Amino acid sequence: MPPRWLIATVRKTIALQPPPGIASTADFFPFRLGEALSVDIEQRASSIDCRSLSVAFAGGIRAVDDVHLTVGAGKILSLIGPSGCGKTTLLRCMAGLQDATEGEVILDPPVPAHHGNISLVFQQPTLLPWRTALENVLLPLQLTQCLKKEQRARAESLLETVGLANAMNRFPRQLSGGMKMRVSIARALATRPQVLLLDEPFAALDDMLRSQLGELLLELWHAERFTAVMVTHNIAESILLTHQVAVMQHGQLAKVLDNPLPWPRDPELRTTPQFGQFYGRVTQHLKGDA
Amino acid sequence: MVPSRRSIADPLISLAMVIGVALVAGLIWQLVIDRFDLPKALLPTPRQCWAAVMSHRGTLLRGILGTGLAAVSGLVAAVILGSCLAILFSQSKKLRLALFPYVLLLQTVPIVAIAPLLIIWSGYRFRTVIIVTVIVCFFPIVNSVTAGLLSASREASDLFRLYGANRWQRLWRLQIPSAIPHLMVGVRTSSGLAVIGAIVAEFFIGDATSFPGLGTLMMGWQALIKTDALIAAVFASALLGLVIYGVIQLLTGFLLKRWTST
């Protein structure tokens, strides 16, 4: 455990804005140093604990049925399963957008809901068409009443990080599908959330773009170290981007698999036997053969 | 940016075609009168109508201004009142269910049936013309703005819930911006109705000395069987409707820049 004075210094450093000429806090505060002090940085993130979580809809349909799931602080977990198996409902419960019929979602350390501590990236970019890219990123800060000058700088910095430095003042209709999703991700990170939830964020994009945005997500995770839960249908994506893969079937959690692939993740990992073996295991659980 | 040759040519071609159709219609009109030897009192020639326009131009201009002022005032009042009611409707489903049928009633009851009542209650005054215009314009505004306020997607609503937006923030930052394009559709629809409403109200007022609108002028000229002047007034009212519509089109383009610019 690093000494307290060092932790305090690092905290102050993280809170600082990058000096002129440096694009983002990620450049200013190199990733390697962040990894070395990950004990402190991960304290920003919350772990998610779903206890006996069930959601029943009218007509007695149980979209989520007695789910017990724990996502470690600063870890990434993917939820994978066939359509209609309850992935999105579970994610909405974690976001506080869906009330559970039974059970509860506990964040540790606890954070107040609806204050930007939990962010969600939707399947569609869901940008407001009358707002520019920058104004869309600023929206969560305006809603949570914490828009200050330095936060505007953070929004600009996030847009630079996602590669949209030259498109900040463009309206959503002037952006491509991939650019819109980048804005959506930047918006989700504007409030420095402890938990980032992603609901099939790359489903509508082509493979190349999907791969690029996956890499971008990992870069952002390295810099911000949030806890992330990502719903996806794509097995390769669920393996490459995460620490754990949770397989869902008929509203229930069929299996949570620890991802054996080493970090840092590289697209080249797809060609390794380890990747192939894990891919096979996930597929088996998806088919229910395991 | 230099406008392209096509962007300049298209409106000119469109204008030339409109003028062409008017010339052909005028020619047919003249031929029908020549062929059937119709009296001036029944159907004057285009030339006689033009002469009437020139001889009554001052009166017609005052009529256009009077009716135009009533129509625009009524339209603006309908936009303000209709938008406020639509905002209330968007905030309360119960209120919407309770009051919307009455708003619909304003649309379904013929304005000619209400106008005499309004004259009894409000008198032979300019304000009565405005009240009739408001009633005619009210439904399209309320209907379109309510639809716009309720048009936000589930994801956008979730986004606002996620960040703990209160009712006011949701209304101001999501619902009202979503409703602006719908409002402009409602205003465009109502702009034509506003002129009709104002003229209908003026028909019932009837006295051009107390209120110099196109409707009151028409009533006076009808009584004197001045068919040429009557037709001139019809064209003046059409012109008034077109001018109001054109201004609203320009205003729409300006207001919706954020929604439409590419």
Side-chain angles (χ1 to χ4, degrees):
Chain A
M1 182 79 179
R4 279 189 176 182
W5 65 266
L6 182 56
I7 292 172
T9 311
V10 170
R11 276 196 176 134
K12 278 181 191 169
T13 312
I14 292 169
L16 281 173
Q17 289 306 305
I22 291 177
S24 71
T25 46
D27 298 336
F28 181 53
F29 185 61
F31 160 51
R32 286 178 193 284
L33 179 57
E35 269 193 329
L37 295 169
S38 61
V39 178
D40 181 46
I41 291 168
E42 284 183 13
Q43 278 175 2
R44 278 191 60 233
S46 293
S47 66
I48 307 169
D49 194 5
C50 300
R51 295 180 186 169
S52 309
L53 201 70
S54 296
V55 179
F57 291 124
I61 303 159
R62 290 181 81 82
V64 176
D65 191 4
D66 195 28
V67 166
H68 294 262
L69 176 67
T70 302
V71 190
K75 301 291 181 198
I76 309 176
L77 175 135
S78 64
L79 277 173
I80 193 163
S83 295
C85 71
K87 304 182 295 290
T88 297
T89 308
L90 180 56
L91 200 77
R92 286 174 61 81
C93 280
M94 292 177 187
L97 295 173
Q98 174 72 53
D99 291 331
T101 317
E102 292 163 33
E104 55 188 344
V105 179
I106 293 170
L107 300 182
D108 182 28
V111 288
H114 307 308
H115 281 81
N117 303 304
I118 303 172
S119 280
L120 178 60
V121 178
F122 298 89
Q123 186 171 349
Q124 297 299 323
T126 321
L127 303 180
L128 303 182
W130 56 88
R131 284 177 161 249
T132 62
L134 179 62
E135 287 166 347
N136 268 288
V137 176
L138 287 171
L139 180 71
L141 298 166
Q142 289 169 335
L143 294 179
T144 50
Q145 311 283 346
C146 60
L147 180 61
K148 292 172 190 155
K149 206 174 179 182
E150 57 268 32
Q151 276 142 343
R152 177 176 267 273
R154 170 167 169 82
E156 287 171 354
S157 164
L158 274 168
L159 281 170
E160 280 171 19
T161 309
V162 298
L164 293 176
N166 296 323
M168 285 187 198
N169 295 316
R170 287 197 211 161
F171 289 99
R173 71 189 156 277
Q174 298 167 318
L175 303 173
S176 67
M179 290 163 97
K180 283 181 199 170
M181 192 45 81
R182 284 165 193 263
V183 176
S184 178
I185 292 170
R187 180 182 61 194
L189 295 177
T191 52
R192 296 181 191 272
Q194 280 90 332
V195 174
L196 179 67
L197 307 170
L198 305 106
D199 188 6
E200 298 186 55
F202 315 134
L205 307 175
D206 61 60
D207 278 353
M208 182 75 88
L209 217 52
R210 204 180 180 116
S211 174
Q212 284 175 3
L213 288 181
E215 285 173 39
L216 173 68
L217 182 67
L218 286 185
E219 278 174 34
L220 291 167
W221 175 78
H222 277 308
E224 309 265 337
R225 289 296 172 122
F226 40 76
T227 306
V229 178
M230 181 170 71
V231 168
T232 180
H233 278 112
N234 188 306
I235 302 174
E237 188 176 85
S238 77
I239 293 171
L240 266 179
L241 302 179
T242 63
H243 295 89
Q244 286 179 304
V245 179
V247 181
M248 283 192 76
Q249 296 277 16
H250 311 296
Q252 293 181 325
L253 204 59
K255 187 76 180 172
V256 180
L257 301 162
D258 286 325
N259 192 335
L261 294 185
W263 292 86
R265 295 290 162 79
D266 191 300
E268 295 297 313
L269 278 173
R270 287 170 187 257
T271 57
T272 62
Q274 213 174 4
F275 180 89
Q277 282 166 7
F278 191 53
Y279 193 104
R281 275 182 68 199
V282 174
T283 311
Q284 271 184 336
H285 282 284
L286 273 173
K287 286 180 181 172
D289 295 343
Chain B
M1 199 174 82
V2 181
S4 70
R5 191 176 289 179
R6 191 173 168 180
S7 70
I8 297 169
D10 281 355
L12 289 177
I13 292 169
S14 176
L15 184 67
M17 286 165 72
V18 169
I19 292 169
V21 169
L23 287 175
V24 170
L27 192 67
I28 293 170
W29 179 355
Q30 184 70 51
L31 286 173
V32 166
I33 291 167
D34 291 347
R35 172 74 180 81
F36 297 104
D37 196 22
L38 297 174
K40 184 188 172 188
L42 189 62
L43 185 62
T45 63
R47 194 186 294 258
Q48 286 165 337
C49 289
W50 179 249
V53 168
M54 295 315 288
S55 63
H56 297 291
R57 60 182 182 272
T59 315
L60 279 172
L61 191 65
R62 277 195 298 279
I64 287 173
L65 288 175
T67 305
L69 185 64
V72 172
S73 305
L75 185 60
V76 170
V79 167
I80 294 168
L81 295 173
S83 299
C84 289
L85 188 64
I87 286 172
L88 289 176
F89 281 176
S90 73
Q91 301 303 304
S92 166
K93 192 177 178 183
K94 282 179 187 163
L95 197 69
R96 191 163 71 243
L97 290 174
L99 292 184
F100 198 79
Y102 294 102
V103 178
L104 192 64
L105 203 69
L106 284 178
Q107 174 77 359
T108 51
V109 173
I111 195 64
V112 286
I114 303 174
L117 271 176
L118 289 171
I119 287 172
I120 290 170
W121 293 333
S122 175
Y124 288 85
R125 291 176 179 180
F126 181 64
R127 75 170 179 213
T128 311
V129 180
I130 294 178
I131 293 169
V132 171
T133 311
V134 170
I135 290 172
V136 169
C137 297
F138 198 60
F139 179 76
I141 300 287
V142 174
N143 194 35
S144 55
V145 176
T146 305
L149 289 165
L150 299 174
S151 69
S153 68
R154 184 193 173 190
E155 285 80 9
S157 300
D158 280 348
L159 185 74
F160 276 69
R161 273 181 67 200
L162 191 69
Y163 293 109
N166 57 34
R167 190 183 279 250
W168 171 249
Q169 285 177 315
R170 198 181 131 77
L171 177 68
W172 183 245
R173 295 191 188 278
L174 177 65
Q175 290 183 290
I176 289 177
S178 299
I180 301 279
H182 292 77
L183 167 69
M184 295 319 292
V185 171
V187 173
R188 269 207 299 266
T189 310
S190 294
S191 65
L193 294 174
V195 176
I196 295 171
I199 289 176
V200 166
E202 287 163 6
F203 280 169
F204 283 92
I205 289 175
D207 182 8
T209 53
S210 66
F211 182 78
L214 286 172
T216 49
L217 288 176
M218 284 177 188
M219 293 303 283
W221 285 330
Q222 185 207 23
L224 299 170
I225 320 177
K226 280 186 156 184
T227 316
D228 51 353
L230 203 53
I231 290 173
V234 169
F235 280 113
S237 61
L239 181 70
L240 175 63
L242 282 174
V243 168
I244 292 176
Y245 187 85
V247 169
I248 287 167
Q249 277 288 83
L250 286 174
L251 196 67
T252 304
F254 175 73
L255 279 177
L256 297 188
K257 243 181 199 171
R258 277 191 160 248
W259 284 257
T260 54
S261 67
T262 50

